[in-house]
């Protein structure tokens, strides 16, 4: 086969089998998430503070009034969202355990299924027990978010972008990203101090397995 024809066939095959990169669609999703997606979160935060003030419960749904079925639906939604978020953040640990104990092959095999149900179910059970034991566990979650989730989400991402694109960014873009690094760094410190204060105050008020309702 002539070399030109070979190169043409390989080129056509390459274009036909490899999909175009999804970077553009991913960027659209990220722009939507960090713009329209955060509006409900800020709305709940500021409107809740406006409506109930600083005396509101840490768990906002404990302070609201209205039909029982609405509160029940809101609590069920919050519970399901918590379970899903817990699985997402625990996925690195799940992956480590699967690799450590040689869990391979079909996820529906008896060995793999029983291992994952036992280990992951046990993990959720222990976390639920600790959450019931310490009714102010949300304060510890606030501290964890302040010193880990907050910096990883807002500070590290901006700093990595600056390092990766430092020669391609305009002065205004660099200023914007450094503003994010500094601003969210200060917010992270303030959130950590606030969480420590909440832990100190609530630990004097609540007892183990307290009913906060």
């Amino acid at each position: 086969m002539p070399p030109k024809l070979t190169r043409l066939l390989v080129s056509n095959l390459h274009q036909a089998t490899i999909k175009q990169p999804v970077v553009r669609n991913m960027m659209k999703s990220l722009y939507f998430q960090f713009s329209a997606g955060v509006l409900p979160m800020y709305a709940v935060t500021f409107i809740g503070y406006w409506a109930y003030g600083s005396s509101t419960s840490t768990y906002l749904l404990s302070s609201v009034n209205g039909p029982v079925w609405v509160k029940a639906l809101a609590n069920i939604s919050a519970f399901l969202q918590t379970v899903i978020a817990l699985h997402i953040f625990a996925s690195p640990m799940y992956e480590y355990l699967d690799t450590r104990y040689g869990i391979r092959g079909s996820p529906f095999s008896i060995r793999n299924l029983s291992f994952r149900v036992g280990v992951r179910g046990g993990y959720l059970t222990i976390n639920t027990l600790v959450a019931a034991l310490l009714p102010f566990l949300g304060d510890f979650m606030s501290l964890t978010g302040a010193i880990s989730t907050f910096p990883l989400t807002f500070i590290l991402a901006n700093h990595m972008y600056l390092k990766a694109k430092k020669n391609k960014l305009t002065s205004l873009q660099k200023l914007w990203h450094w503003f994010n690094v500094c601003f969210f760094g200060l917010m992270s410190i303030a959130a950590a101090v606030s969480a420590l204060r909440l832990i100190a105050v609530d630990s004097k008020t609540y007892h183990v397995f307290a009913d906060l309702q």
Side-chain angles (χ1 to χ4, degrees):
M1 184 179 293
K4 287 186 178 180
L5 182 57
T6 302
R7 287 195 296 269
L8 180 61
L9 289 175
V10 171
S11 177
N12 290 337
L13 181 62
H14 181 270
Q15 294 177 4
T17 56
I18 300 180
K19 294 182 179 180
Q20 294 296 321
V22 295
V23 175
R24 182 175 298 178
N25 290 335
M26 289 177 62
M27 293 303 297
K28 290 180 180 178
S29 299
L30 288 173
Y31 289 145
F32 179 80
Q33 176 186 351
F34 285 100
S35 56
V38 300
L39 291 179
M41 181 180 69
Y42 284 112
V44 170
T45 302
F46 291 108
I47 295 176
Y49 184 82
W50 169 79
Y52 300 102
S54 59
S55 61
T56 185
S57 170
T58 304
Y59 184 55
L60 186 60
L61 292 176
S62 299
S63 302
V64 300
N65 298 315
V68 175
W69 70 270
V70 174
K71 295 184 65 176
L73 182 61
N75 280 282
I76 292 172
S77 300
F79 170 76
L80 294 176
Q81 190 273 339
T82 303
V83 172
I84 294 171
L86 179 60
H87 276 297
I88 292 174
F89 283 105
S91 56
M93 187 199 70
Y94 294 158
E95 182 64 27
Y96 166 76
L97 290 173
D98 288 351
T99 303
R100 174 68 176 79
Y101 293 98
I103 303 300
R104 299 185 181 88
S106 173
F108 298 105
S109 66
I110 299 299
R111 178 177 180 272
N112 294 349
L113 191 62
S114 59
F115 176 85
R116 285 170 174 158
V117 169
V119 171
R120 300 181 187 189
Y123 175 76
L124 289 175
T125 301
I126 292 173
N127 276 276
T128 303
L129 179 63
V130 172
L133 177 68
L134 301 175
F136 53 96
L137 187 64
D139 300 346
F140 290 97
M141 293 177 65
S142 298
L143 179 61
T144 303
I147 63 178
S148 62
T149 308
F150 216 113
L152 288 175
T153 304
F154 298 103
I155 301 174
L156 182 62
N158 280 280
H159 193 266
M160 290 176 63
Y161 192 82
L162 278 167
K163 288 296 184 180
K165 301 284 188 178
K166 59 182 178 180
N167 296 325
K168 299 179 181 179
L169 298 177
T170 65
S171 299
L172 184 60
Q173 289 174 322
K174 291 180 180 180
L175 182 63
W176 169 249
H177 288 290
W178 275 116
F179 170 77
N180 285 328
V181 170
C182 297
F183 174 76
F184 287 112
L186 294 174
M187 291 294 291
S188 180
I189 295 173
V193 172
S194 176
L196 289 172
R197 179 183 178 277
L198 285 173
I199 292 173
V201 171
D202 289 344
S203 62
K204 298 177 182 179
T205 305
Y206 300 132
H207 56 83
V208 294
F209 294 108
D211 185 4
L212 303 183
Q213 299 298 324

